[in-house]
Amino acid sequence: MTNISIIHNNETDASTAFTRQSVVFDEIYSGNTIINYKRTRVRQHVLQHLAPDSSILELNSGTGEDAIFFAKAGHRVHATDISTGMQQVLQQKSAPYRDRISFETCSFTQLDQLQNQGPFDHIFSNFGGLNCTGELEKVLLSFDALLKPGGKVTLVIIPGFCLWETLLVFKGKFKTAFRRFFSSKGRTAHIEGTYFKCYYYNPSFITNTLQQSYRVLGLEGLCTLVPPSYIEDFAEKHPRAYNFLKNKEDKWKDKWPWKYMGDYFIISLEKK
């Protein structure tokens, strides 16, 4: 099997997994305190780089939670996703905002095939969607044709090291603690009975790939001190500890070494 076939099969498997999860996605995640904290942090980061009435190309838009938020804030969003199930849920939810939200089923590795080529003011991808491809360099290099001069990019990526995850070794969770280590060929993820590869990328991969045409605007760690959301009910079981850690993370999010130690990092760049 060729590398291209493997890549496309992985995208198909990821699409199948998230289509199966689309009908319960919001129910599973909407009430999670730490996920809501993560969404707030990401949105605050993006908003500081958006001019009024910006046009946004959203990749891996999921059920449209962020698209609706930015539409309510006065922006126009073209929401794309490879999962037909996610797109269907998004279409239903976004009906009241149809004048500000459009949608298109498309893989982020095939952005040259988008019917809506923009150009856009901003490209946005949240919560590690881009970790579902082993072709991130190809995706990043396709942004130029879709962005206006001075356009911006904000990506939320899962890196190759997470402090909280590594500390799980002390709870005997060795598989989880070390799953990001030695993972250059990806690690297997499992959602709704479907397996696909997840790849980890550090900030340097983004900056090195785009250094000729982009400058970095900001880099933050996300869930560096606040635990990852898969550590269930931490905020509810330990509210004082959660609030303490949240306040410290909000203060140190863009400081060394914390910006390199999160479950995710948020990076924004501007096209030169």
Side-chain angles (χ1 to χ4, degrees):
M1 185 180 291
T2 66
N3 286 337
I4 292 175
S5 296
I6 292 170
I7 289 165
H8 287 167
N9 285 346
N10 192 66
E11 289 186 7
T12 300
D13 291 342
S15 172
T16 299
F18 287 107
T19 290
R20 288 176 176 172
Q21 194 181 62
S22 63
V23 294
V24 294
F25 186 88
D26 288 341
E27 181 182 343
I28 293 173
Y29 296 113
S30 62
N32 187 302
T33 301
I34 292 178
I35 286 181
N36 290 331
Y37 166 73
K38 293 192 297 185
R39 282 202 184 279
T40 299
R41 278 277 312 281
V42 171
R43 290 166 178 175
Q44 289 173 342
H45 181 105
V46 175
L47 286 173
Q48 66 184 326
H49 299 302
L50 284 177
D53 193 31
S54 288
S55 59
I56 303 170
L57 172 62
E58 184 178 4
L59 312 181
N60 51 274
S61 55
T63 64
E65 288 291 299
D66 292 314
I68 292 171
F69 172 83
F70 289 118
K72 287 180 176 179
H75 305 287
R76 290 164 286 118
V77 184
H78 188 58
T80 68
D81 203 296
I82 193 175
S83 165
T84 55
M86 290 291 189
Q87 283 273 290
Q88 288 169 1
V89 174
L90 184 153
Q91 290 179 37
Q92 294 168 5
K93 289 171 59 176
S94 66
Y97 314 98
R98 196 56 50 84
D99 59 328
R100 292 205 161 264
I101 299 176
S102 55
F103 32 81
E104 188 172 345
T105 303
C106 183
S107 167
F108 39 57
T109 59
Q110 297 175 315
L111 294 177
D112 59 326
Q113 298 179 26
L114 276 174
Q115 294 179 12
N116 184 351
Q117 287 281 313
F120 299 92
D121 296 304
H122 208 105
I123 295 175
F124 170 59
S125 172
N126 204 358
F127 289 166
L130 291 175
N131 291 90
C132 293
T133 181
E135 288 189 293
L136 184 55
E137 181 178 14
K138 174 184 176 181
V139 179
L140 296 174
L141 294 176
S142 71
F143 289 170
D144 252 9
L146 297 163
L147 273 179
K148 297 176 183 178
K152 298 170 184 175
V153 177
T154 300
L155 310 175
V156 184
I157 305 286
I158 304 171
F161 174 77
C162 169
L163 177 62
W164 264 98
E165 194 163 281
T166 304
L167 291 175
L168 290 176
V169 69
F170 296 109
K171 284 199 164 187
K173 298 182 178 181
F174 299 104
K175 186 175 181 180
T176 301
F178 296 124
R179 65 183 171 186
R180 304 192 196 199
F181 292 78
F182 313 109
S183 59
S184 60
K185 295 184 179 179
R187 292 292 191 195
T188 301
H190 177 220
I191 292 177
E192 299 296 331
T194 302
Y195 295 86
F196 58 93
K197 289 280 190 181
C198 178
Y199 302 85
Y200 301 107
Y201 299 99
N202 292 324
S204 59
F205 183 93
I206 313 297
T207 56
N208 290 341
T209 302
L210 295 177
Q211 62 183 340
Q212 295 299 319
S213 302
Y214 294 79
R215 69 180 186 95
V216 177
L217 296 174
L219 174 65
E220 302 176 10
L222 182 60
C223 286
T224 54
L225 292 167
V226 170
S229 52
Y230 58 77
I231 299 181
E232 294 182 1
D233 300 325
F234 179 92
E236 288 72 29
K237 292 177 181 176
H238 312 285
R240 293 180 65 182
Y242 167 71
N243 286 321
F244 174 81
L245 293 171
K246 180 168 70 73
N247 291 335
K248 292 300 183 185
E249 178 164 330
D250 289 345
K251 182 178 179 180
W252 297 336
K253 60 190 176 185
D254 58 350
K255 303 294 191 295
W256 187 92
W258 305 107
K259 59 185 176 181
Y260 298 114
M261 303 174 73
D263 192 31
Y264 300 84
F265 63 89
I266 313 168
I267 188 168
S268 284
L269 308 98
E270 182 179 40
K271 185 178 177 181
K272 295 177 183 176

